[in-house]
Amino acid sequence: MPSVGSALWRSLRAYQVYGANTDVGKTIASAILCKALRKQSANENVCYIKPVSTGPQSEADDQHISRYARGVLTKCLFRFDDAVSPHIAARSLPPPSDAAIVQAVCTQMSECAQNWRQGTVLVETAGGVHSPTPSGSSQADMYRPLRLPVILIADHRLGGISSSISAFESLRMRGYDIDSVFLFENTRYQNHEYLRGFFVKHSIPTVALPPPPPRQDSASEDEEAMERYYKAASSTGVIRDVVSSSAARHLARIEDLQSMAERAHEKIWYPFTQHQDLSSGNIMTIDSAYKDDFQNYNPTAPETVSNSSLIQPTFDGSASWWTQGIGHGDPTLSLSAAYAAGRYGHVMFAGGIHEPAISLAELLLQHLANPRLKKVFYSDNGSTGMEVALKMALHAACVRYGWDVNKKDLGILGLKGSYHGDTIGAMDCSEPSTYNEKVEWYRGRGHWFDFPKVMMVKGQWVVHSPSGMEAEFGLNTTFSTLAEVFDVETRDNSPAALKYKKYITATLENLVCEEGRKFGALMFEPVILGAGGMLLVDPLFQRCLVQVVRDNPQLFGHCSPANHLSSTSVTSPGGWTGLPVIFDEVFTGLYRLGRFSSASFLKVHPDISVHAKLLTGGLVPLCTTLASESIFGAFLGADKSDALLHGHSYTAHAVGCNVARTAIGMMLDMEKDGAWDEYKRSWVGRLGYELEPEGSVDLELIKGDVWSNWSKGFMTELSHREKVEGVVALGSVLAITLRDDTNAGYSSTATSKLQQRLRKGSSDGSINSRVHSRVLGNVLYLMASQSSKREELLGIERLVLEAL
Amino acid sequence: MPSVGSALWRSLRAYQVYGANTDVGKTIASAILCKALRKQSANENVCYIKPVSTGPQSEADDQHISRYARGVLTKCLFRFDDAVSPHIAARSLPPPSDAAIVQAVCTQMSECAQNWRQGTVLVETAGGVHSPTPSGSSQADMYRPLRLPVILIADHRLGGISSSISAFESLRMRGYDIDSVFLFENTRYQNHEYLRGFFVKHSIPTVALPPPPPRQDSASEDEEAMERYYKAASSTGVIRDVVSSSAARHLARIEDLQSMAERAHEKIWYPFTQHQDLSSGNIMTIDSAYKDDFQNYNPTAPETVSNSSLIQPTFDGSASWWTQGIGHGDPTLSLSAAYAAGRYGHVMFAGGIHEPAISLAELLLQHLANPRLKKVFYSDNGSTGMEVALKMALHAACVRYGWDVNKKDLGILGLKGSYHGDTIGAMDCSEPSTYNEKVEWYRGRGHWFDFPKVMMVKGQWVVHSPSGMEAEFGLNTTFSTLAEVFDVETRDNSPAALKYKKYITATLENLVCEEGRKFGALMFEPVILGAGGMLLVDPLFQRCLVQVVRDNPQLFGHCSPANHLSSTSVTSPGGWTGLPVIFDEVFTGLYRLGRFSSASFLKVHPDISVHAKLLTGGLVPLCTTLASESIFGAFLGADKSDALLHGHSYTAHAVGCNVARTAIGMMLDMEKDGAWDEYKRSWVGRLGYELEPEGSVDLELIKGDVWSNWSKGFMTELSHREKVEGVVALGSVLAITLRDDTNAGYSSTATSKLQQRLRKGSSDGSINSRVHSRVLGNVLYLMASQSSKREELLGIERLVLEAL
């Protein structure tokens, strides 16, 4: 079943009719609107959909519309006899799923779009905005994928001002746009006057409807009275005006979407983009996003000949630059952000504390489970957080080794292909490359090791030595499972470990003692180097690097004039030796690779750990740099100038901290509740795609939880394809390296064909139609969110195989 | 009248009773609670407050409580006879203001706190959460300053699930905590079952109450039935449990507040803080914030002997590090954030566009009204935005002048005392100082001019030459108004302008031609250097600097080997000459100094303009770097590596862009609606403090809108004080330079006494009691928000004068 996307057609207007409460006159207002629409133009087709109806059919809303608004196509999609809330009415039989209801609405609307040259659809909900659906969820959540413009029927009764405004707020915080508000006039309570004033501030027209006639004694009198009422109420100038202004808003929305790429092309300077190559045609206009999908405006949809919507879902295959964990448009995150905004706004953090900041700090310290880490420093993004980490480490090293503070030739130790951010200090931590070589103030400061990489080739996990370094690292080694590659404690005693350590030690001795280089930190992204090309580093190599640096403090301090190792901090449990070790977990941390911390794969505790991206579940920028007591101590002193004089205005902003706390809590719950167990079972089993039946596999067998949201069988199949050099998958990351003998590296375009193919979607539309992916040289990667559904990912896997 | 703060006492628990709708049984539930509380303990005093009651007194809620919950102190504070919503009932007479109602509630609660050893107060609202107050505002907004824990009475009727959840969401997005939920059992609709499941996910207990008896025929039977009902309903185990768990939550909240500073001291690494000097005792625990005030936990409140709350308001005198424009906890910004979160979450920006990003870009381009600026680049904070600006400018200069890309000795031209952020690239744009001298990778790259400063001394505006430079800049000059200082076009022909230009030209010639230095940008904060000490630079000097740089392109390119000036871009209207000019408006822009753009004070258009802080009105981090077409063009090329390869994961995050759009819209409206006219009148008038009567002053007279939220009379008075060296005020900024002959500069402590004095508040409590301020060396500054009320600022002015 393809994903349901937002629904928008040029010639068909569709609205969702929500009520501020039950019994506020949704159906009467709908009938008036249906009649008014029919009167507006002879060509206007009108369809009224009641997706879920409870109570006897004879009294049903769609019957009422049929009776009084003749010529209107009416549909009821799911009917329950009991006149109670759908979640109770549906108890006696298996209730339709939310997806099935939304799909049925979508199908009905699409039929109208296909059959009619012009028309309007009203989709009337049941009860109030949050009234339960048959499955027990909230209506406002269930219908959110469609994100239809809302006609809100406000409450004219005593208390109705409050319920109307609250209903409006519940809709807004789910990303709905309100087209117009209707309610009955009540001269005593005058809610319509108050609400008109309220909604005008939001540029929303409010229409007061005449109250319906009192119920008459006989059925026929009643029907006559209603006929007269509808005739009058649907002919007023106010109704005519709102119907036509609503049509104008519909066109304006489409025009806005249509012009947006052009306007962006004129006014936006894009990150990481060569604008010479950019035309407005290849700017993606995003109307909204929901769960794993963007809802894109698709100007080329051939709507005149088909029923396709102008907005179509596209799988967000880079997890929006590696930020999404919970999915787009999540109401829990939205409310969490709003709560912090309402309670604090932003409050200055220097010398102050608030609950979201301290709670988040405690949550991270607890779950990173690194006994070294004791202090949390907040900043705004991965780049600033890495600059903070760098300042911490360099200063700690200078204090320990008694180096001059202005050691301008002080460098860091890192890995080739590393990326730590785009501010100058973070850039300087990477070796020269296309990313930075034309930046005037860039100068790489450090030494970057080449390293053995891991990928699956023809069904087997291979550790590759970098070319020309087979002598140092040994020939390629093959493992049958990724778990064996990550069994670093067993591999500690392998010949590879000895070779790695020997090479690292020799290199460092040469750099320090022969070349006289000075280093102040060891810094890398544990397990996978992201922007460098989703390179899976042999975890044993990273582990050896840390071990060699920590075991050889004499290497770093001994050429310095004042080599006074402070023995207390060296021997204290959390003290660092050799160099402070910084793990940049901005990309790899917080369940990206399937575990809370990616450091745990290496079974090594860094002295400084940096976290961002998934930290807020994918909502707002925030970063934390955690450090050990021993690092912290280097900044204590009598002088203010000894302190870490770094800060940003929005440091530890309450919205970010609160959302992060919520998002991390949700991911912890997912793990606890076994949300990923089916992935884990599939990785430990032998079946490849198939799910191992629950209980058939002892999850304990998955040594160290090495698993991915992408199927093992899919990977294996990919790795045998001719065009594929190798594949990597871990946690939510999938990286496909394509063969490209002519032009490797960042500027390669080898993968662009595959990327375009995924963008177009499957040939038969049977699976999630479109995938937005990003490439890094000859590597195309796909990234799921932590809440992606297995069924959807399996569809994308089929699409990738079809495309290759 | 002192600000009303959040109310919290150890021995007095206070709750706000909100209803999900009208007629859901708030008063019945309150009566049950009152009785249950009285039963819980013999010592428990209970007070029931109905702040606003409508309808006949005999049927009033407080009468009902008096009748059935004997021993409870009941209070009705404002009574209206008509049984309609208070905003209608109050029409016939001048309605009490929101502040008066909240103050009355506060006073009543304080009395209870003072008189009772132990007790509980219930404050029952009228109707639903958003039902209008007598003034017509929403109750949930009116009572927000108190931020009492909420007892929410949910709706048991058909449709009540929806209205209860929406009411909950409206409260949460205003920063309320919900203590517990009560509603009547209804076996048919079973709302209590559904809502119990809903609220348990938010850790909120839900209590189902037995439905009240049906109305009896005679009054006495009715009363008897109610008596029996209340007796039974208030004695159940469920009620006992929730009353005692609620008491436990109250204590847990206090314990949490009490422990927070300690926990922060242990786990938080603070920005810009020497931790050696920090104890938990001087960490400020912020329970919440509202408008201009923090709500601080005050552990030293001597509550046993007085009625003071454990939480007390403190004026946020640094506008939370210069971020606040709209005030804390604003519901409009909260809803704006929630809407964007619900519609998009965050969506990847490279190659994509969404409505908040394009609208914000267009809004800024329009209102900055700088014809040069054509492109908007998004990043996360001022520091990253300045790094982007720097990369733009340096690259444009290198392309223009044909310099080697790796010109490592390329510098910038700036002003002494500048601050542009804490990432290494931004730091390198400032001259060596305490801020950066111990940062290992810092090296200032550039030349920084000394400059003449402006301040008010003894009632007159004086332009001071920096010491030792009287020969170059001339002796001090005096002006009678600040507007004259800012009349730069008239001053263009003054001797000062000639001297400035001569000095700047000579300095540049020496640097470039004698010393062989190379420069790639001119960069400064227009008008006021913030972190450098709130220094008001003579605007004429900044203007001359730009003019000299632009008029002398030969100065910058002529020593280069390949001096091929592109004549097209030089002569094109938006083209830059000499050097790209960057204005860092991060602090000074967006109405901080009373105008949309601070560049307008200099009547100069920069080529690059950077905006942050006030950009989101004070909610979340976001930054924009705007550039001219001519700068943009330098990055066009065949190669991807020619592009500006800079970006952050959350670039142009929808929440930030949408909130910014809302906040800027609100500030534009304030200006349009004349929200600041009274300040402006006071600055142009002769009265000092007094408001000039409306119409008495032609606002056109205020040449160039030079005004401040701080009174001219107050400034004048300050400037005559013996301890004061000089004063500066412009827009929302006030900076007081204290005399300190011994120890000038950043590490000075001369101002700490004044700071402590303001923190303590006024001696008689007659004015806003406490002010949180920040100091920079011997400068104490106070910063209002753009929405600060004049009355409150006048109170603070009195406090400052009293403290000096």
Side-chain angles (χ1 to χ4, degrees), chain A residues 177 339 387 424 613 649, chain B residues 177 339 387 422 424 613 649:
Chain A
D177 291 321
Y339 169 72
E387 294 229 358
I424 298 292
K613 296 192 192 283
S649 315
Chain B
D177 291 320
Y339 169 72
E387 294 229 357
D422 293 329
I424 298 292
K613 295 192 193 282
S649 314

Side-chain angles (χ1 to χ4, degrees), chain B residues 302-365:
Chain B
E303 56 156 334
T304 48
V305 294
S306 90
N307 61 352
S308 62
S309 166
L310 289 171
I311 295 178
Q312 292 176 330
T314 302
F315 181 79
D316 174 6
S318 76
S320 277
W321 262 357
W322 322 349
T323 61
Q324 294 305 305
I326 306 300
H328 295 279
D330 184 83
T332 306
L333 291 191
S334 175
L335 188 61
S336 173
Y339 169 72
R343 179 167 171 185
Y344 307 95
H346 165 61
V347 292
M348 234 256 315
F349 197 59
I353 191 67
H354 54 81
E355 205 214 330
I358 186 67
S359 304
L360 177 60
E362 290 174 340
L363 197 65
L364 288 170
L365 287 167

